[in-house]
Amino acid sequence: MVDVVDRLRAALGDRVDTTPDALAAARADKSGHAAPGLPLAVVNAASVDDVQQTMRIATETRTPVVARGAATGLAGGANAGEGEIALSLRAMDRILGVRPDDLLAVVEPGILNADLNTALAEHGLWWAPDPASRAISTVGGNIATGAGGLLCAKYGVVRDAVLGVDLVLADGRLLHLGHRTVKGVTGLDLTSLVIGSEGTLGVVVGATLKLRRLVPGQVCTIAATFADVRAAAVASAAVTASGAQPAIMELMDAHSLAAVHALLELDPPTPGAAQLTIQTDGPAAVAEADAIAEVLRASGGTVALSHDREEGERLLTIRRMMHPAMESLGTALIEDVSVPRSMLPAMFDEIARVERDHGVTIPTVAHAGDGNLHPNFIFEAEPDEHGIVEAPDHIWDAADDLFRAALRLGGTLTGEHGVGVLKRRWLADELGDDQWELQRQIKAVFDPLGILNPGKVFAR
């Protein structure tokens, strides 16, 4: 194994980092999970050629490789452990081209969402995917996990906003997948296959992104409080059923709302109260907001409506501060399930049942516009020598109960975080044995030696 590091150093020089701090950091992401052992090295790729050379050496030496971005993932999907190479794409953060007339941009994978949109704004453009971690998450990581965010009910998820990817295969070959045209149906859609594949099929080294014009008109924001979370979920379903199309519709239960208010030193909310935060945009924003406000009032909500953009961003800050607020309560296993939007009230009933049956607290927020929920399992445990805290068995028992409830309601195990390590044991339960095996066979075509992100997604 020492020979692997020597070969990497000979090819890539000081871009190969074997310092203890770098190796320890590569074990973990924001999920709280850490891979066992330390990786052999961290390769800080600065170019496509760096990635290709790394993969050629990995193939020749049969060494596993884990591609990483900003390590903001929540499923353990980019954690590198014993005997593996951690391949960091974070330094590959350039915008290679913007074509306003064609509404596209070509970027490297390490660029942050927020930095990309700051640069695109100068052209009157934006890239729609808007995860809550947009200030710290990379475009490449978004593509790897198939990320979503606050805006996806109206503007779609990452899969809807990527025209093509440049992919380095396990043996170092470079593929250019997809198109720079609006339409393109030549052959199989390998771009869509790569999106959400979590580094198991290849290493994304570039992306052609589908852009939008900045939305003209006003932005209106509604904050509506309800007596409990079920009432708020029923109201969100009523908004969807009304035909309204808000840009954002976020639901916070009483636990999460109280935690954020405490963190931001705001007046405490009414005990037990839940909140919907809804935003409309575009030329019809005012009329849509007025109509939605009436639906919420008819559903029992106390409604405040603002036409001020800055006030709207302040209200959304409460939602975006969810993760820091959870950290203030203890260690959080941050989970991610989706159900049909009409099933949101039933899913919140199931969460309350899991809390009662397992004696746990599960603060939950939801992208109510698309049925994606983020239950947070709060627990106390001692960190290991690297500061990593693993969830205890009773928390996983509660999570298992909750995941199976989502599946019973016609939902899915993950809407945007991905499978990684944390969800792999339930994957076959959702897919069925035949589809699970077929997907493993597809991975083997791309990665016959099994060196790309081994132990993630398809391992039972």
Side-chain angles (χ1 to χ4, degrees):
M1 288 298 184
V2 174
D3 178 58
V4 176
V5 177
D6 289 344
R7 292 188 61 177
L8 289 170
R9 288 197 190 282
L12 301 166
D14 61 7
R15 290 189 290 284
V16 180
D17 191 345
T18 57
T19 60
D21 286 349
L23 299 181
R27 293 179 60 221
D29 61 6
K30 290 286 188 181
S31 70
H33 178 78
L38 294 174
L40 296 172
V42 177
V43 174
N44 294 299
S47 67
V48 174
D49 184 65
D50 288 350
V51 175
Q52 290 182 279
Q53 290 196 65
T54 300
M55 295 313 307
R56 291 185 190 116
I57 292 169
T59 290
E60 290 165 6
T61 60
R62 306 299 197 264
T63 306
V65 177
V66 179
R68 289 171 61 83
T72 61
L74 292 166
N79 296 350
E82 187 75 31
E84 298 176 338
I85 299 168
L87 176 55
S88 173
L89 289 306
R90 182 64 186 89
M92 295 176 62
D93 60 357
R94 295 180 299 163
I95 297 175
L96 302 177
V98 179
R99 291 165 55 172
D101 290 348
D102 291 323
L103 292 178
L104 66 83
V106 181
V107 304
E108 291 183 325
I111 189 167
L112 300 180
N113 290 59
D115 292 346
L116 171 63
N117 274 324
T118 296
L120 292 176
E122 298 177 8
H123 302 275
L125 303 170
W126 66 303
W127 193 52
D130 182 47
S133 59
R134 62 183 180 175
I136 56 174
S137 63
T138 65
V139 169
N142 288 185
I143 291 171
T145 60
L150 276 64
L151 293 167
C152 43
K154 183 172 184 178
Y155 293 108
V157 295
V158 165
R159 192 179 305 278
D160 304 307
V162 177
L163 294 170
V165 296
D166 298 331
L167 188 76
V168 173
L169 296 177
D171 61 9
R173 286 178 291 163
L174 176 64
L175 302 183
H176 301 285
L177 307 179
H179 310 271
R180 294 191 180 185
T181 55
V182 174
K183 295 178 180 177
V185 293
T186 309
L188 300 177
D189 186 359
L190 297 183
T191 299
S192 290
L193 183 63
V194 168
I195 296 168
S197 63
E198 302 185 51
T200 63
L201 303 182
V203 181
V204 174
V205 293
T208 301
L209 305 179
K210 180 180 179 181
L211 307 180
R212 293 176 179 269
R213 305 282 182 197
L214 288 174
V215 180
Q218 283 187 271
V219 172
C220 299
T221 306
I222 302 165
T225 57
F226 295 84
D228 55 47
V229 71
R230 196 179 203 285
V234 169
S236 73
V239 171
T240 299
S242 75
Q245 184 62 82
I248 292 173
M249 183 157 62
E250 295 293 300
L251 191 161
M252 300 182 71
D253 74 356
H255 294 310
S256 59
L257 189 62
V260 173
H261 274 240
L263 181 69
L264 296 178
E265 299 182 344
L266 303 174
D267 291 338
T270 302
Q275 180 170 299
L276 277 175
T277 304
I278 299 175
Q279 211 168 64
T280 60
D281 63 0
V286 174
E288 287 182 335
D290 289 342
I292 290 170
E294 286 306 309
V295 172
L296 298 176
R297 292 188 183 102
S299 299
T302 300
V303 178
L305 171 59
S306 173
H307 296 170
D308 181 80
R309 187 183 292 262
E310 290 186 6
E311 173 65 9
E313 285 305 306
R314 188 191 69 78
L315 291 170
L316 277 178
T317 296
I318 294 175
R319 165 61 183 87
R320 294 189 190 278
M321 291 300 292
M322 172 66 177
H323 293 326
M326 293 303 96
E327 292 172 355
S328 72
L329 298 180
T331 302
L333 174 65
I334 304 168
E335 274 307 335
D336 165 44
V337 296
S338 287
V339 295
R341 289 173 289 188
S342 62
M343 291 292 105
L344 269 178
M347 190 63 215
F348 276 104
D349 288 345
E350 289 289 344
I351 292 170
R353 178 190 60 77
V354 172
E355 287 184 312
R356 292 192 303 270
D357 290 353
H358 295 268
V360 295
T361 300
I362 311 175
T364 302
V365 297
H367 305 308
D370 56 41
N372 187 193
L373 302 97
H374 294 306
N376 290 253
F377 295 81
I378 307 299
F379 61 93
E380 297 292 342
E382 291 299 318
D384 66 13
E385 67 272 20
H386 299 291
I388 303 300
V389 181
E390 297 282 358
D393 289 344
H394 78 278
I395 291 293
W396 281 117
D397 289 342
D400 173 88
D401 196 351
L402 189 147
F403 297 158
R404 296 185 188 282
L407 295 179
R408 287 195 302 272
L409 292 173
T412 179
L413 293 167
T414 175
E416 56 189 8
H417 291 173
V419 174
V421 172
L422 300 188
K423 294 281 184 70
R424 64 188 179 185
R425 76 181 88 164
W426 293 278
L427 186 60
D429 292 335
E430 178 172 338
L431 298 181
D433 289 339
D434 289 342
Q435 187 184 166
W436 184 85
E437 182 59 35
L438 179 61
Q439 293 200 17
R440 287 185 69 248
Q441 292 172 11
I442 291 171
K443 172 178 166 51
V445 172
F446 281 78
D447 179 25
L449 298 178
I451 63 172
L452 284 169
N453 216 6
K456 314 294 173 46
V457 184
F458 299 111
R460 273 179 159 161

